[in-house]
Amino acid sequence: MRTSGTSRPSRTARSPLPALLSLSLGYFTLGTSSLAVVGIGAPIGHDLHTSPSEVGVLVSVFALTFALAAPPAPALLRRLDRRAVLLLGLGLMAVGGAVSALAPSLGALIAARVLAGLGGAIFGPAASAAGSLLVPEERRPRALATVFAGMTIAAVLGVPLSSYLGGALGWRWTLAGVAGATVLAFALVALLVPPLPAGPPPTLAAYRTALRTPGVLPVVATTLFFMAAQFTVYGVAGAYLAARFGLTTGAVTAVLFAFGAVGVIGNACGARVFARLGGGRTIALTQLGLAASFVGLLVSPAGPVPAVLLCAVWAFFGQLYQAPQQARLIALAPEQRGLLLALNASMLYVGISLGSLLASSFLPRLGATGLTALALLPMLLGVLTHLRSNRSHTVRTTRNAVIGEAL
């Protein structure tokens, strides 16, 4: 009997949508956990008597913990089925969020961020892998887009909403609210996601095989550079928009909300564009759109209208990228999807951390316009790695075709 790396529900099976939405809520709490401290940095610093630069470490700590923990997590948790892995990740995120809300010092808050980052590293890749297993192969890009929509919505609401709630309720209640949402996601995943097999155990040999698969390393490197390019600007989005376009605080918040709203649309379009263009051309299109928006940010006049329009283009193509890239990676080695998605998620957070570091380091030195130009450097590196991944995929396809004819 012919088998595949994808679970195919029967016609009588229940709809996978509730399970996908519960995973999306988990991704929303993951995204909000990683970014919320950006919006409440000032009250945290005031309450814990620390400088803004020290509070800024909280984002990097989460990102680096995620990046380091995501690749080995599938091997360390290989004895657990996928739903158990999801619940473990959400549980650690919830505990980390609750401890963050109660932290008496910056050191305790950093330790809580490490715990939450570990939970995110376990949950995020496992959620994408689970989402891809809940539907037939042809519906995989749409399922991945549904799951990742939680992260996109976190970009809409995470920073501005946490900033508002931090001012209205205090930063501790804000973090407690994120922890409560994570507990809700835990309950829904436990209720709605069916047990899913863990798949082949990711041994050291499996890691070597996956990394040697043609196209894998260029694909995940593309993710790293794509995210680094965005966060070279987005990492200091509020200060950047104010300096580059002369926006007030209220206008900056409005632009960030618009950015996130258009990003949701971009994520929702990912599956359709993938189905029409294929993976390689879809990623090339996202890179072209992102590069065009950055060139526009480099040369456009100041004012709220150019800021909104250019950020809308940026958000659309930035979020259009995610689901097609994950589907493309799974197609390279479906039997090791958990391992590959963990590696891709790790590179995503390395890119966020690298871009944020470039943003905070070079905005004072280069100014807003110079920072935009700097963001084009990782963008160019991402284009080169994507071209390399396409060549690797072509070679692999040709080789498989030759072998098939010989047989």
Side-chain angles (χ1 to χ4, degrees):
M1 183 176 66
R2 184 178 180 270
T3 59
S4 68
T6 304
S7 173
R8 291 183 175 274
S10 68
R11 293 182 180 179
T12 59
R14 62 182 180 182
S15 168
L17 183 58
L20 292 173
L21 292 177
S22 70
L23 295 173
S24 185
L25 176 60
Y27 245 126
F28 171 78
T29 62
L30 168 57
T32 304
S33 296
S34 64
L35 297 174
V37 294
V38 174
I40 54 177
I44 289 176
H46 180 267
D47 191 28
L48 300 181
H49 309 290
T50 59
S51 67
S53 61
E54 290 176 318
V55 174
V57 170
L58 296 173
V59 177
S60 298
V61 164
F62 189 102
L64 289 175
T65 300
F66 190 111
L68 293 173
L76 295 174
L77 302 174
R78 62 185 180 275
R79 297 184 183 277
L80 301 179
D81 67 59
R82 296 185 193 275
R83 185 173 65 176
V85 171
L86 293 169
L87 296 177
L88 174 62
L90 288 170
L92 290 175
M93 286 167 54
V95 173
V99 175
S100 296
L102 299 171
S105 65
L106 181 64
L109 186 53
I110 289 174
R113 294 286 289 172
V114 169
L115 184 61
L118 285 173
I122 293 170
F123 173 81
S128 294
S132 73
L133 286 168
L134 289 169
V135 297
E137 183 177 351
E138 64 273 11
R139 291 168 56 192
R140 184 187 296 157
R142 188 178 298 276
L144 289 170
T146 300
V147 173
F148 202 80
M151 179 69 83
T152 307
I153 295 171
V156 183
L157 298 176
V159 175
L161 185 59
S162 65
S163 178
Y164 170 77
L165 293 177
L169 303 176
W171 67 271
R172 294 186 185 277
W173 281 109
T174 301
L175 295 181
V178 176
T182 307
V183 171
L184 175 61
F186 181 100
L188 291 175
V189 167
L191 179 66
L192 299 173
V193 176
L196 296 168
T203 61
L204 185 60
Y207 276 95
R208 286 198 299 265
T209 300
L211 292 174
R212 290 173 181 172
T213 300
V216 166
L217 287 179
V219 167
V220 297
T222 301
T223 293
L224 187 158
F225 291 125
F226 192 83
M227 297 307 297
Q230 293 191 77
F231 272 80
T232 298
V233 177
Y234 192 77
V236 287
Y240 173 86
L241 290 170
R244 176 64 183 84
F245 294 100
L247 303 184
T248 64
T249 302
V252 166
T253 301
V255 171
L256 290 176
F257 268 115
F259 182 97
V262 176
V264 172
I265 298 173
N267 179 71
C269 292
R272 292 185 179 182
V273 178
F274 179 91
R276 186 178 295 270
L277 299 181
R281 286 187 288 178
T282 299
I283 300 307
L285 176 64
T286 65
Q287 292 178 320
L288 179 62
L290 186 63
S293 68
F294 280 9
V295 171
L297 291 170
L298 192 62
V299 301
S300 74
V305 174
V308 169
L309 292 178
L310 290 169
C311 285
V313 175
W314 170 8
F316 180 84
F317 288 103
Q319 293 301 325
L320 182 68
Y321 171 91
Q322 299 296 345
Q325 184 73 334
Q326 292 182 69
R328 188 166 175 254
L329 193 59
I330 290 172
L332 292 175
E335 69 284 357
Q336 293 294 347
R337 70 188 67 205
L339 188 157
L340 293 181
L341 289 170
L343 182 61
N344 188 66
S346 175
M347 291 301 100
L348 184 148
Y349 271 89
V350 170
I352 290 175
S353 184
L354 175 60
S356 299
L357 177 62
L358 291 174
S360 59
S361 300
F362 285 97
L363 179 62
R365 303 178 187 180
L366 301 179
T369 301
L371 192 66
T372 312
L374 179 63
L376 291 172
L377 177 58
M379 188 75 253
L380 174 61
L381 294 174
V383 170
L384 294 176
T385 55
H386 178 60
L387 292 174
R388 174 74 180 275
S389 73
N390 277 343
R391 285 197 295 270
S392 299
H393 179 73
T394 301
V395 169
R396 184 186 184 203
T397 302
T398 303
R399 183 181 302 159
N400 289 345
V402 171
I403 293 171
E405 291 177 3
L407 294 175

